[in-house]
Amino acid sequence: MPADAPDSAPREHTVPVADGVELWARESGDPTGTPVLLVMGAASSGVLWPDALVERLGRRHRVVVWDHRDTGRSTRAVDVAPYELRDLATDAVRVLDHLGVQRAHVVGMSMGGLLTQLLLLDHPDRVLSATLFCTGALAGAPGGEGLPGPHPDLLALWSRLGETRDEDAEMEFRVEHWQALAGAVVPFPREEVLALERGAVAHGGPADASSATAHARAGTSGLARGAELAGVRVPTLVVEAPEDPAYPPPTARHLADSVPGARLVTVPGMGHALPAAVLEPFGDAVEGHLDAVDAAKP
């Protein structure tokens, strides 16, 4: 590396967010680039973001991932210090504050997409752009009546999240869960998923029943704010995953319609997951959105 080149080596942080509650965070990529905050879904560590996506975005951006409370290396909190899901959105702001980031592109998946919407409503000055995928609009957004819910097979799997399993059985369950989430169009990359989950276990230790259901047991007050999305002015991209069994079509279209000026892009074959087979078109959509916003900002 030339002497004057920026140091792109990953940098880990411990971020205090409440009394006795700390979060693990990691930044990587170009430290001089526009920050990108990746917000993962429920019960999921930040290391579940695919390395290929993090590295791609890191070519021109400072990429930040972190472990929500009750995941990875962050504090197991819900049973000793109960919290609301909306507190996880405030955690995102605390992570930005700790890293000295004033504004960031925010990319949210699943529950992370709901948290990103809360950031758009409560902290728009901290969000350069938003990318929402595998998620739906906050409750109360007009036109949301009658949208389909999660597939029954997926609901059946979710009912088993709190079961106690040995290490091998737990890994098999996680693979089964990801297979259901990924849909049936894109070939399921079993070994890729196994490697990803083994990496998550190496990072944060074996999952227990409490951690697996922590976010399902967190408070849900203050989330019925979908009508407020009509006031959002932050550039927003919604990526539709047509094979998503958790947020099936036309959920993404409804979300895009709920945010003024939001652009909808469909990634064919994509389910509620980011296997290698969809990373190129998904990455193209996200990078194009980030580049357009970066080019337009003062």
Side-chain angles (χ1 to χ4, degrees), residues 258-270:
S258 300
V259 180
R263 187 165 62 94
L264 181 69
V265 173
T266 299
V267 176
M270 183 175 172

Side-chain angles (χ1 to χ4, degrees), residues 78-293:
V78 73
D79 293 320
V80 294
Y83 53 84
E84 302 287 325
L85 284 179
R86 67 176 186 268
D87 292 329
L88 303 184
T90 305
D91 288 350
V93 178
R94 300 282 175 81
V95 170
L96 294 179
D97 289 342
H98 185 85
L99 299 180
V101 174
Q102 181 57 38
R103 300 181 73 194
H105 298 288
V106 183
V107 180
M109 175 180 186
S110 195
M111 182 190 76
L114 300 179
L115 301 180
T116 301
Q117 292 173 62
L118 293 177
L119 293 178
L120 288 171
L121 298 180
D122 295 332
H123 303 278
D125 57 318
R126 307 301 296 271
V127 185
L128 276 171
S129 77
T131 298
L132 309 169
F133 71 104
C134 295
T135 193
L138 291 169
E145 305 82 5
L147 286 173
H151 191 280
D153 291 347
L154 188 58
L155 291 175
L157 280 172
W158 286 349
S159 72
R160 297 169 50 201
L161 285 172
E163 294 177 358
T164 300
R165 288 174 282 266
D166 63 29
E167 184 175 345
D168 290 340
E170 175 63 23
M171 200 59 62
E172 284 301 315
F173 178 81
R174 293 189 188 191
V175 171
E176 181 184 2
H177 186 208
W178 278 117
Q179 187 164 13
L181 288 169
V185 172
V186 173
F188 182 67
R190 178 181 173 83
E191 294 306 315
E192 177 186 325
V193 170
L194 271 173
L196 193 66
E197 283 293 351
R198 285 170 179 156
V201 168
H203 168 73
D208 54 69
S210 177
S211 297
T213 61
H215 294 156
R217 291 182 286 121
T220 57
S221 66
L223 298 182
R225 301 177 61 189
E228 298 175 46
L229 294 173
V232 170
R233 297 296 179 265
V234 174
T236 299
L237 171 70
V238 177
V239 178
E240 181 179 48
E243 306 305 319
D244 187 345
Y247 292 94
T251 304
R253 166 59 68 184
H254 172 252
L255 173 56
D257 289 344
S258 300
V259 180
R263 187 165 62 94
L264 181 69
V265 173
T266 299
V267 176
M270 183 175 172
H272 198 91
L274 288 171
V278 304
L279 280 186
E280 183 173 353
F282 176 78
D284 288 345
V286 175
E287 258 193 336
H289 179 57
L290 272 53
D291 289 347
V293 173

